[in-house]
Amino acid sequence: MDNKMMKIGEMARFNRVSITTLRLYDKVGILKPCYTDPETNYRYYSIHQKARLDMIQYMKELGMSLGEIREILEKGDIELIESTLISKKRQVKEEIAQMQLRLGAISRAIESVERFRKAPDRGMLTVEYIPHRKVYVMHTDTNFYEYDISVYEEILEDLKENLIGQGLPQVYYCNAGTILEREDFLALRMVSHEIFIFVDDDFPEHESVRHIDSAMYACIYLDSFDDEPEYAARLLKYCQEHSYTISGDYICEVLTEFNVFDSQKRSMFLRLQVPLKFR
């Protein structure tokens, strides 16, 4: 026997892999031992097989499955190697895009928690700057202000199905909001047929995507869906008392949802807001 032959344990230690891994590679046929003792059934490897093992490990790092590696090694086809790598590149790009979406969702969740901790008390009226935002809007035939929150829940489910139907990531499905046209708000007509979710700046343009300009906003905070009409009236009165010019549509924004504390109802902290014009 060649004195450069190594038992499976030596081969494993030399290449920093496990014995189990080498046995698996033998089983699937991508790295078989040079010699198997018929009496002891010990596996022996040549030091020269390190190059093949390095190649297998490299292919695994590129994301190839053992089945793909076996096919490439068996066929030795350079075009197959290239096509497999192109496919892996496309797959990795898709995974990166998904991870970026997840990272954005995590960042928004952290901001949501922080805003909740630092938000004004319920009923507080403020004037504050809100930067540019991008929203995905869904129209609904139902004016949910005519019903209780159970209908709102149904509309939220429609929004989720709408996202799925458009092939859009569900990581955006949180902190939904509603829109009233300026004239309806000024007349305190609680009529809304639009529900929206906030999306990232790099979210693809779409007929349902809108841009909300940055502005100074008059805002009021509350923690109950049922109290929104009352608090909208407070917000309008506040603007009138200060002679503020309302320059755009009314927005009800769900700042945070912590549905881990109450399993029987949706826990929401809301910010009602209208843009103001000072010049």
Side-chain angles (χ1 to χ4, degrees):
M1 192 185 306
D2 192 332
N3 59 10
K4 291 185 179 179
M5 299 286 278
M6 294 180 287
K7 292 181 180 180
I8 189 170
E10 295 172 315
M11 183 68 169
R13 286 192 297 273
F14 184 65
N15 292 281
R16 297 186 180 184
V17 298
S18 68
I19 293 176
T20 302
T21 296
L22 290 178
R23 286 174 175 161
L24 175 62
Y25 291 173
D26 181 10
K27 181 179 179 180
V28 299
I30 59 176
L31 184 66
K32 290 188 169 295
C34 285
Y35 174 74
T36 301
D37 191 310
E39 295 182 3
T40 63
N41 208 34
Y42 287 167
R43 295 174 173 87
Y44 291 90
Y45 293 84
S46 166
I47 193 171
H48 302 300
Q49 288 181 285
K50 184 180 187 310
R52 171 56 63 91
L53 182 55
D54 287 342
M55 188 63 188
I56 292 170
Q57 298 298 89
Y58 177 62
M59 289 178 172
K60 283 184 63 181
E61 289 296 320
L62 295 177
M64 295 185 191
S65 68
L66 294 183
E68 290 170 326
I69 293 172
R70 182 178 62 243
E71 183 180 10
I72 287 173
L73 295 178
E74 286 177 351
K75 293 184 177 179
D77 185 345
I78 192 66
E79 291 185 359
L80 176 60
I81 296 174
E82 183 180 24
S83 64
T84 303
L85 289 173
I86 290 172
S87 174
K88 291 301 170 185
K89 182 178 181 180
R90 181 170 57 250
Q91 179 182 332
V92 169
K93 282 185 174 181
E94 292 173 355
E95 290 173 356
I96 289 173
Q98 290 297 318
M99 293 303 292
Q100 287 176 333
L101 287 174
R102 184 174 298 175
L103 178 61
I106 292 171
S107 297
R108 289 193 300 274
I110 292 171
E111 291 172 2
S112 179
V113 172
E114 185 176 12
R115 280 192 301 180
F116 178 75
R117 288 193 297 105
K118 298 181 178 180
D121 293 335
R122 181 177 187 268
M124 182 174 289
L125 289 146
T126 66
V127 174
E128 54 193 88
Y129 173 79
I130 301 179
H132 167 270
R133 292 165 291 178
K134 194 173 182 179
V135 295
Y136 178 89
V137 182
M138 184 191 78
H139 178 83
T140 174
D141 293 332
T142 303
N143 175 24
F144 37 81
Y145 287 113
E146 296 178 352
Y147 304 90
D148 61 17
I149 196 166
S150 61
V151 172
Y152 178 71
E153 293 288 352
E154 293 175 4
I155 294 173
L156 283 177
E157 187 59 30
D158 290 341
L159 175 61
K160 181 187 289 186
E161 291 183 5
N162 183 273
L163 287 172
I164 295 172
Q166 295 286 342
L168 301 173
Q170 290 189 62
V171 293
Y172 289 111
Y173 180 72
C174 64
N175 297 6
T178 56
I179 300 172
L180 267 70
E181 292 185 1
R182 175 179 176 274
E183 292 72 18
D184 287 326
F185 173 69
L186 292 174
L188 284 180
R189 290 190 296 265
M190 300 304 290
V191 177
S192 178
H193 294 279
E194 293 183 319
I195 187 167
F196 69 85
I197 51 172
F198 292 103
V199 295
D200 297 325
D201 288 338
D202 56 357
F203 188 88
E205 294 298 330
H206 187 275
E207 61 182 5
S208 298
V209 170
R210 295 186 198 170
H211 294 264
I212 302 176
D213 290 336
S214 60
M216 297 299 294
Y217 281 78
C219 306
I220 189 170
Y221 293 79
L222 65 153
D223 58 8
S224 172
F225 173 87
D226 296 328
D227 292 340
E228 185 183 347
E230 175 192 343
Y231 279 71
R234 290 192 197 182
L235 181 61
L236 178 59
K237 182 180 179 182
Y238 174 75
C239 293
Q240 292 170 338
E241 289 175 345
H242 289 79
S243 300
Y244 292 148
T245 300
I246 297 172
S247 60
D249 294 339
Y250 161 102
I251 296 172
C252 171
E253 174 188 3
V254 179
L255 282 176
T256 55
E257 286 194 52
F258 291 108
N259 301 312
V260 295
F261 302 129
D262 190 337
S263 63
Q264 301 302 315
K265 65 178 182 179
R266 186 175 291 273
S267 301
M268 296 186 289
F269 191 63
L270 311 173
R271 176 169 64 176
L272 313 184
Q273 57 203 259
V274 287
L276 305 176
K277 182 179 180 181
F278 292 100
R279 297 183 180 86

